[in-house]
Amino acid sequence: MRKLLLILLFSLSGMTMFAQKGVNGIGINLDWYYNGNARSQNFGLDIKYQYNITNHGRIETFVSYTLLSSFKASKYEDKETDFIIGINYHQFLNKVTSTRPYILVGAAYGHVLSLENYWYESPDLSHDSYPYYGNPGVNHYDKINNDAPIFRVGVGIDHRISQSLSFQAELAGTVVVNFSGTPKKAFFAPQLKIGIAYNF
């Protein structure tokens, strides 16, 4: 009986280890967000590092890269490549257990390369009347580089799969402030992240 209790205590301590103060974690996310401003869907990959500063608080740093972007509306088709680096804070809402919901806040810096496609149909377009000139009926791509601060607020859940692996999911609202564009503006983009982390 005594040995059984010792084994049970050891198992419980190992299973909750990853959520305690001083524990590190590395992992990946698959993320999706919708840019309502440009009517585009973006799918990306995150690489993240996590560190529990307390039993209820965790810092996360990450880099993100867009794998696939789509924007199709009327005669236009745009493609984007995003590279984002940022930091998040996770505040857990309960004690150290196998499943822990949390609130997140974060900030990031993003660099966006956009390929904007213009399709010309009118034979009346000329070099003098339109800045993006060319032969009518031909696609024209313009490269546009934008740098923007990004702010995130949302909720997440951390669920232990095993002693060292956890499943994590987040739903957040993202505000992107486009200082490089014309005109300068901010837009809101809902974002979903699903991933795993290895804790040590």
Side-chain angles (χ1 to χ4, degrees):
M1 184 68 179
R2 187 176 180 180
K3 289 183 178 180
L4 181 61
L5 288 175
L6 288 174
I7 293 173
L8 180 61
L9 289 172
F10 178 78
S11 299
L12 289 174
S13 64
M15 290 162 68
T16 59
M17 175 193 70
F18 68 88
Q20 295 179 351
K21 179 181 178 180
V23 173
N24 299 272
I26 56 174
I28 59 172
N29 288 332
L30 292 177
D31 66 78
W32 166 91
Y33 72 90
Y34 177 75
N35 180 351
N37 182 62
R39 289 174 290 177
S40 66
Q41 296 188 68
N42 298 271
F43 300 88
L45 176 69
D46 297 352
I47 299 176
K48 59 189 178 183
Y49 167 76
Q50 299 172 331
Y51 178 74
N52 285 73
I53 55 176
T54 70
N55 287 345
H56 293 276
R58 180 170 67 193
I59 294 292
E60 175 186 79
T61 59
F62 69 92
V63 292
S64 178
Y65 182 76
T66 300
L67 300 175
L68 178 64
S69 175
S70 65
F71 168 53
K72 293 183 179 180
S74 184
K75 304 168 186 177
Y76 303 96
E77 180 180 353
D78 291 1
K79 298 179 180 180
E80 293 183 350
T81 300
D82 300 0
F83 178 79
I84 299 171
I85 183 169
I87 185 169
N88 296 318
Y89 174 74
H90 301 160
Q91 179 65 42
F92 292 103
L93 301 178
N94 59 353
K95 299 185 296 183
V96 178
T97 60
S98 60
T99 302
R100 305 188 73 187
Y102 58 87
I103 296 173
L104 70 95
V105 293
Y109 176 82
H111 178 77
V112 181
L113 171 62
S114 300
L115 293 178
E116 295 193 356
N117 179 17
Y118 299 89
W119 174 262
Y120 303 108
E121 294 179 344
S122 173
D124 298 326
L125 290 176
S126 66
H127 293 197
D128 298 328
S129 62
Y130 201 77
Y132 304 102
Y133 54 83
N135 295 325
V138 178
N139 286 336
H140 298 270
Y141 282 94
D142 287 333
K143 290 185 178 181
I144 299 177
N145 289 279
N146 289 322
D147 298 310
I150 302 167
F151 304 96
R152 301 178 70 232
V153 177
V155 294
I157 191 166
D158 188 307
H159 176 72
R160 172 184 44 79
I161 300 173
S162 67
Q163 180 175 337
S164 56
L165 284 178
S166 59
F167 167 82
Q168 298 169 353
E170 295 178 357
L171 179 62
T174 301
V175 177
V176 181
V177 184
N178 186 359
F179 289 132
S180 302
T182 303
K184 297 175 175 60
K185 55 187 175 182
F187 62 88
F188 174 82
Q191 185 178 49
L192 175 67
K193 291 177 179 275
I194 298 175
I196 59 172
Y198 172 78
N199 305 279
F200 56 95

